[in-house]
Amino acid sequence: MGESKAEKKGLSAKWTGLKAEFSRIIWPTKATIISQTVVTLVVTAIAGIIIYGIDQAALAALHSIGVGK
């Protein structure tokens, strides 16, 4: 049931490689995260408004021809 020495070495090597990869990541600054979050929220709100407008136009068109009353 226990791990062999080879398996432990393989796991250790993977962990060392993972730590090395994480040290190479260029993490975003707080200002970058905030600005990207604001952009995401604004774009999402605009998309929601556009979808709502299309939905209301489709609903009005269907009501004008007598469907869904």
Side-chain angles (χ1 to χ4, degrees):
M1 289 284 166
E3 293 180 352
S4 68
K5 287 184 180 181
E7 288 173 337
K8 287 181 181 178
K9 279 187 178 181
L11 185 59
S12 176
K14 286 181 185 178
W15 182 253
T16 303
L18 182 66
K19 285 181 8 182
E21 287 300 319
F22 268 100
S23 69
R24 293 184 193 134
I25 295 173
I26 300 172
W27 297 99
T29 63
K30 185 176 181 178
T32 302
I33 292 171
I34 291 171
S35 67
Q36 289 179 352
T37 301
V38 169
V39 168
T40 301
L41 293 174
V42 169
V43 169
T44 301
I46 291 170
I49 291 168
I50 291 169
I51 291 170
Y52 176 78
I54 292 169
D55 182 54
Q56 291 301 308
L59 185 62
L62 288 173
H63 282 177
S64 71
I65 61 172
V67 177
K69 284 189 177 179

